[in-house]
Amino acid sequence: MKLSSRFAAPVAALVLAGLTATACAPQTSDNSAKKDEKKGTLRVWLFQEVNNDPKKKVVDEAVAAFTAKNKGSKVEVEYIPVETRAQRIKAAFNDPKSAPDLIEYGNTDTAGYVKDGGLADISKEFKAWDEAKDTDPTATQSVTVDDKVYGAPLFVGVRALYYRTDVFKELGIQPPKTQDELISTAKKIRKAKPELYGIAVGGAYTYGAMPFLWSHGGELATGDAGSYKSAINSAESQKGIKAYTSLFSDDNCPAAKCATMGGNATVTAFASGKAAMAIGGDFSHQAVEDGVVKGKYAVVPLPGLKAGEIAPAFAGGNNLGVLKSSSHRTLAVDLMKGIAGKDSQRKLFDAMGFLPTYTDVRTEVAQKEPFVEPFVKTLGAGAKFVPASAGWGQIDASLVLPTMFQEIVSGKKDVATASGEAAKKMDAAFSSAG
């Protein structure tokens, strides 16, 4: 099965350029559509994949079904580069005449796009949509701001623990069942095989670090939209930060080499045979398959604090949203349902490896592709999402958390000081976002 190589990078990296442009942008003037035409041409912007043909085929089938049902309507689909989408989407929010009716967007962009006044509230349509009841709660959360729904989840991405079966067999060790075992196993491997990182970790790998924080009871923030307050410096969060940063040492992954690594670099280290373990996504599968470790690795859920527990993982992915300025709202919502519906998500999994957002469809695909099972288990155990605030975009784009991790692993600051300073920066961003 082929996976989109675009998602070999952490979701945070994919949205970084967009967040810089959208999180701090002034809210657009009211661009609500004044009419809802029941025929005409719908314009759709979707993300361009490295190999876009499989995605295009699935979308074309959904479009054909839509136009057959809606006589007198046409659909124009444009595939836009991920790297420049932020500028284009923001411009579309400000210029309704040239704007599309339906867009694909990264799920951490939701709150920022809502604040910019670009996305339509489709809460009623989503609630009335029969298929929506099977949507994973975390995926639903990714399209929700202030209890209002602003789109449909298209696919989800989550991370688990990749490990070298040959190395584990040679050393007579088993996959770790707790986080303490994970840390001790990593150091045991490094001692026996100093040419390897026990587990590749990155100071710039925010979403690889979060499971450690969350499993210790920590949170990024508490509250809700409009009143978020950072919790990165709570006692529980600090325990998780200490657990993660303890892996940046000469007896696992030296800080001098690993402090600047992001998610893509850690997966590359594993795929190239330089690490015995790594935290990678379902979207990392193809990159690992293309590496020298092909046939010599397996994947299990990242363990929690106790045996049998799965550490909460960040639920990344993409959504579809109808623009507030669309003069074809009803048609756009209908097309959104077609492209993000169960049938299309099944086909997108087969074509691209995108994990479905529906719990029942995920169970189906896990039976077809065994490698998916640990990721499905991870989602089933309860994945987490970022605060639904436009301030999160500013926090992510400003590299607040990578800076915190790097200050700690370099020895410049202790956990309490670094997390306290990060909390102040986060609170300033939440406050400015309103």
Side-chain angles (χ1 to χ4, degrees):
M1 183 181 64
K2 238 177 164 180
L3 283 164
S4 168
S5 59
R6 173 161 64 88
F7 293 95
V11 174
L14 298 176
V15 302
L16 195 57
L19 291 168
T20 306
T22 60
C24 306
Q27 187 165 345
T28 53
S29 56
D30 183 26
N31 57 2
S32 301
K34 304 299 186 281
K35 52 189 175 181
D36 183 12
E37 298 174 352
K38 300 302 190 290
K39 61 181 180 179
T41 300
L42 270 70
R43 299 180 63 215
V44 180
W45 287 359
L46 301 177
F47 292 160
Q48 174 87 32
E49 307 297 331
V50 175
N51 177 9
N52 203 58
D53 288 343
K55 180 176 182 178
K56 183 177 183 298
K57 183 179 178 184
V58 175
V59 171
D60 286 349
E61 289 176 6
V63 167
F66 169 83
T67 53
K69 186 171 66 171
N70 295 280
K71 303 298 183 185
S73 295
K74 290 184 188 176
V75 177
E76 295 177 353
V77 181
E78 183 179 352
Y79 292 90
I80 65 174
V82 178
E83 298 77 16
T84 58
R85 82 201 184 292
Q87 299 91 319
R88 290 197 62 180
I89 290 174
K90 178 60 181 174
F93 291 167
N94 285 309
D95 184 14
K97 290 182 180 178
S98 64
D101 299 275
L102 185 67
I103 61 168
E104 179 178 354
Y105 65 92
N107 66 6
T108 56
D109 287 344
T110 306
Y113 287 174
V114 169
K115 188 188 178 193
D116 287 345
L119 297 176
D121 173 2
I122 60 155
S123 302
K124 290 181 180 177
E125 294 94 332
F126 191 82
K127 187 176 181 181
W129 184 19
D130 185 55
E131 291 189 343
K133 72 181 187 304
D134 295 320
T135 302
D136 179 272
T138 308
T140 301
Q141 185 186 350
S142 80
V143 292
T144 305
V145 178
D146 289 338
D147 297 322
K148 295 177 181 177
V149 177
Y150 291 91
L154 181 62
F155 64 87
V156 67
V158 72
R159 293 165 179 81
L161 183 68
Y162 285 73
Y163 71 96
R164 287 277 297 274
T165 51
D166 56 337
V167 172
F168 275 58
K169 183 178 180 180
E170 180 187 339
L171 298 180
I173 53 180
Q174 298 297 316
K177 293 183 172 59
T178 67
Q179 273 186 25
D180 283 346
E181 277 188 25
L182 172 67
I183 294 169
S184 62
T185 298
K187 295 181 178 181
K188 186 182 293 184
I189 293 169
R190 176 76 171 177
K191 186 175 182 180
K193 291 183 168 291
E195 73 278 10
L196 294 178
Y197 301 139
I199 179 171
V201 287
Y205 192 7
T206 298
Y207 295 119
M210 287 302 99
F212 291 81
L213 183 144
W214 286 324
S215 62
H216 280 82
E219 295 287 349
L220 290 167
T222 57
D224 51 32
S227 62
Y228 276 110
K229 182 171 178 58
S230 175
I232 198 72
N233 61 334
S234 71
E236 295 83 1
S237 294
Q238 287 189 44
K239 286 179 183 177
I241 293 168
K242 286 176 182 175
Y244 184 67
T245 54
S246 72
L247 291 164
F248 292 81
S249 58
D250 290 343
D251 58 359
N252 176 56
C253 199
K257 291 187 177 180
C258 302
T260 59
M261 282 171 36
N264 207 26
T266 63
V267 171
T268 299
F270 181 81
S272 63
K274 295 177 182 176
M277 294 184 284
I279 299 168
D282 55 277
F283 41 82
S284 307
H285 181 246
Q286 193 61 48
V288 176
E289 281 287 290
D290 291 342
V292 300
V293 298
K294 180 180 173 68
K296 298 183 287 187
Y297 73 93
V299 184
V300 292
L302 189 69
L305 300 188
K306 299 176 184 176
E309 287 183 350
I310 295 175
F314 167 70
N318 283 8
N319 302 328
L320 293 180
V322 175
L323 265 64
K324 191 188 287 187
S325 61
S326 173
S327 59
H328 302 92
R329 178 195 170 100
T330 299
L331 289 174
V333 170
D334 192 37
L335 180 58
M336 177 197 74
K337 291 177 181 177
I339 298 175
K342 290 185 178 181
D343 185 53
S344 290
Q345 288 201 16
R346 286 187 186 96
K347 292 174 181 176
L348 281 171
F349 175 81
D350 290 338
M352 307 294 294
F354 294 167
L355 267 185
T357 64
Y358 302 100
T359 53
D360 56 337
V361 180
R362 272 211 301 266
T363 301
E364 289 175 25
V365 302
Q367 292 171 348
K368 284 201 299 184
E369 290 284 355
F371 98 87
V372 172
E373 186 180 359
F375 302 103
V376 172
K377 281 185 177 178
T378 299
L379 285 164
K384 305 269 282 184
F385 195 58
V386 299
S389 166
W392 177 254
Q394 187 177 334
I395 291 162
D396 212 3
S398 302
L399 305 178
V400 172
L401 296 184
T403 298
M404 177 190 73
F405 289 125
Q406 289 163 355
E407 287 174 341
I408 293 167
V409 303
S410 67
K412 290 180 180 177
K413 294 174 184 173
D414 61 23
V415 172
T417 302
S419 63
E421 291 178 2
K424 289 179 182 177
K425 294 175 186 175
M426 292 175 70
D427 286 340
F430 289 137
S431 178
S432 67

